[in-house]
Amino acid sequence: MKSSVVVGLQWGDEGKGKLVDQLAQQYDAIVRFNGGGNAGHTVVVGNEKKVFHVLPSAALWRKKLYIGAGVVVDPESLEQELSQNPVNVMVDYRCGLITPFEKWLDKRLEELRGTNAIGTTGRGIGPAYADRMLRVSPRVMDVVYGDFRDLSAVRRLIGGGDGITDEWIEMSRRVLSPIAGDVPGSLLSLYEEGGSILFEGAQGALLDITYGTYPYVTSSNTVASYVGVGAGFPASKIDEVIGVAKLYVTRVGAGPFPTEITGDLSEKIRGKGGEYGSTTGRARRVGWLDMVALKYAISLNEPAKLKLVFTKADVLAGLGDLRAAVAYSVDGKESSNFVDALAGKRVEPVYESFDPIPDVDWESVAKSGWGAAPKQLRNFIDFIQDYLKVEVTEVSIGARRGMSVELRRCAFSS
Ligand code: IMP
Ligand code: MG
């Protein structure tokens, strides 16, 4: 009986998908609790790459999968994903649904924002969450039981028609009826019978609607404690939080990014790390590891239960110059508070330099273990652990399954 949550500690794309695929074998159920089809969780097996959007990244294992009520679901894209991955999944009755109207409104709002556009994924995510708050969102339950309250008047008021055509209802009912259910009740029974549960976060702490770089954020809470709401599972029963961060940082879409780098080096990192959005194909912005931001993200994710996993160490190798921000300079004063960046102040990163990590045969490091990793990488990780006062349990050194080295066993990975 154990429950763990995997969350991103940056702006998404930290490599959560790979980790969830790797951990999934140890759990009975894998659960999504936030976001929707904006997520692009990549799993690489051999030479094959799989990207999951609304299905948990454990879809390659025969596990019970759940989509909690904190997720917004587009039945059309769910149908597509299911046709490629015939899995055993339950979607909560209370999930809000994305209709053509929300997708239209997402794009229209971006047009209206003009140069202040957020750079959303265009999947209708923001409008879908807003609809719930306005109490005009159709839910899984409404489609399955066919009991639509009249939503059209309010939705027409916003200006795009209501998107809920007879065809849409029929398609949604076909997709959702066989898989709709009560996720909180099912999870609690499973847990009480001794089952173990892995919760898979989408996006990252800095994209959190409340705590992220608002308004350049997604529209759901992305922090671990949102499991309590988004899956209806008691947050007090979470045993461990696995926070995932890249050894550098990326961001796709607009918004503050204190350690952003441009020019040749950013192109090198982008090329080597394949830093293009898995959902939209957009080039990701690239920057140095920001330990001020990371400390902030950790503080929001159950720090006493949190273990850190770093990814993409192999990408930083062989690039020469290596840096990480250890503080900010704000109007000439040193600060180690990410809230200064949130407040739109001009923050200049204060960097520490580290010895370049040489490129090595990472396959053999994966086989031999952490002791075989270049000492420059081990020193870098030691520095980060001391700075953050959080244990790093694993470092990922390649996209494929198995390309990771453990430093210490996670509490439950036996
Ligand atoms: P939305 O979630 O589509 O509304 O997009 C809002 C912001 O979050 C944009 O900057 C997106 O690029 C970003 N975003 C949303 N989902 C992801 C993700 O899974 N990875 C990285 N960025 C994301
Ligand atoms: Mg992604």
Side-chain angles (χ1 to χ4, degrees):
M1 187 162 81
K2 59 179 173 178
S3 76
S4 311
V5 190
V6 170
V7 283
L9 297 176
Q10 292 158 336
W11 281 287
D13 305 314
E14 297 91 352
K16 299 179 290 295
K18 180 195 171 199
L19 191 72
V20 167
D21 170 69
Q22 175 187 315
L23 291 172
Q25 287 164 281
Q26 302 167 33
Y27 295 83
D28 299 300
I30 325 294
V31 187
R32 277 281 304 269
F33 62 94
N34 75 310
N38 49 352
H41 293 166
T42 306
V43 176
V44 182
V45 185
N47 292 325
E48 221 194 312
K49 185 168 139 179
K50 275 268 189 189
V51 182
F52 300 105
H53 297 289
V54 75
L55 288 180
S57 307
L60 299 177
W61 302 100
R62 287 178 187 282
K63 297 285 174 176
K64 183 79 195 160
L65 307 181
Y66 294 90
I67 296 177
V71 176
V72 285
V73 175
D74 177 354
E76 205 179 319
S77 67
L78 176 61
E79 183 173 43
Q80 249 178 32
E81 231 175 313
L82 283 173
S83 71
Q84 289 157 17
N85 307 279
V87 291
N88 181 357
V89 64
M90 179 191 283
V91 181
D92 194 80
Y93 283 129
R94 288 146 289 208
C95 286
L97 293 179
I98 299 172
T99 75
F101 168 76
E102 282 73 29
K103 289 185 267 193
W104 169 84
L105 186 55
D106 193 0
K107 292 182 182 129
R108 185 74 191 113
L109 287 170
E110 284 285 86
E111 280 165 22
L112 291 171
R113 287 184 191 111
T115 54
N116 295 321
I118 291 165
T120 72
T121 60
R123 297 293 190 275
I125 304 297
Y129 282 109
D131 284 356
R132 168 178 285 165
M133 296 310 178
L134 289 171
R135 291 155 290 185
V136 296
S137 177
R139 297 164 305 160
V140 169
M141 197 182 264
D142 303 319
V143 163
V144 172
Y145 295 122
D147 184 21
F148 277 98
R149 285 152 297 121
D150 185 12
L151 307 171
S152 55
V154 187
R155 291 157 73 93
R156 266 202 303 274
L157 192 67
I158 308 173
D162 72 2
I164 307 177
T165 58
D166 289 346
E167 292 77 34
W168 184 86
I169 295 174
E170 196 185 310
M171 177 274 300
S172 301
R173 192 168 289 147
R174 184 177 71 235
V175 177
L176 296 168
S177 296
I179 56 177
D182 175 29
V183 169
S186 307
L187 291 181
L188 205 55
S189 312
L190 191 134
Y191 187 78
E192 280 167 358
E193 285 159 14
S196 54
I197 308 176
L198 179 62
F199 295 92
E200 176 182 18
Q203 292 85 43
L206 305 180
L207 284 173
D208 185 278
I209 181 74
T210 312
Y211 294 103
T213 48
Y214 189 90
Y216 300 99
V217 292
T218 190
S219 292
S220 69
N221 290 105
T222 58
V223 293
S225 54
Y226 191 63
V227 161
V229 176
F233 182 81
S236 61
K237 293 195 193 298
I238 294 169
D239 300 304
E240 80 180 340
V241 174
I242 304 164
V244 189
K246 265 183 216 175
L247 265 186
Y248 52 96
V249 184
T250 61
R251 152 157 230 181
V252 53
F257 187 170
T259 59
E260 182 165 17
I261 45 185
T262 50
D264 285 355
L265 182 61
S266 72
E267 271 161 40
K268 254 195 208 162
I269 298 177
R270 186 176 303 117
K272 194 165 176 206
E275 297 298 354
Y276 295 88
S278 341
T279 301
T280 57
R282 289 177 292 174
R284 294 177 184 146
R285 300 157 67 193
V286 175
W288 295 118
L289 183 68
D290 183 342
M291 292 202 240
V292 178
L294 200 49
K295 195 174 74 169
Y296 173 76
I298 289 168
S299 73
L300 297 167
N301 278 289
E302 307 275 349
K305 295 179 182 176
L306 186 134
K307 308 225 159 49
L308 259 175
V309 171
F310 276 107
T311 61
K312 295 207 152 177
D314 55 309
V315 175
L316 274 187
L319 289 177
D321 191 26
L322 173 61
R323 292 174 176 198
V326 292
Y328 295 149
S329 166
V330 186
D331 300 329
K333 281 200 202 103
E334 200 161 291
S335 155
S336 56
N337 192 349
F338 190 70
V339 174
D340 286 326
L342 294 181
K345 294 189 188 166
R346 272 180 54 122
V347 299
E348 288 293 328
V350 177
Y351 286 113
E352 179 94 20
S353 292
F354 298 86
D355 291 337
I357 301 169
D359 217 350
V360 297
D361 176 3
W362 297 101
E363 300 264 355
S364 86
V365 175
K367 284 191 196 105
S368 315
W370 185 233
K375 71 172 185 309
Q376 296 85 343
L377 172 59
R378 287 184 282 130
N379 291 344
F380 189 38
I381 297 288
D382 284 345
F383 180 94
I384 296 168
Q385 284 191 122
D386 287 346
Y387 179 100
L388 297 170
K389 300 190 176 50
V390 175
E391 207 178 7
V392 177
T393 55
E394 188 175 317
V395 175
S396 168
I397 50 175
R400 274 181 297 115
R401 248 187 206 166
M403 288 298 285
S404 302
V405 274
E406 275 184 13
L407 280 68
R408 284 166 204 86
R409 289 202 164 267
C410 283
F412 299 108
S413 60
S414 56

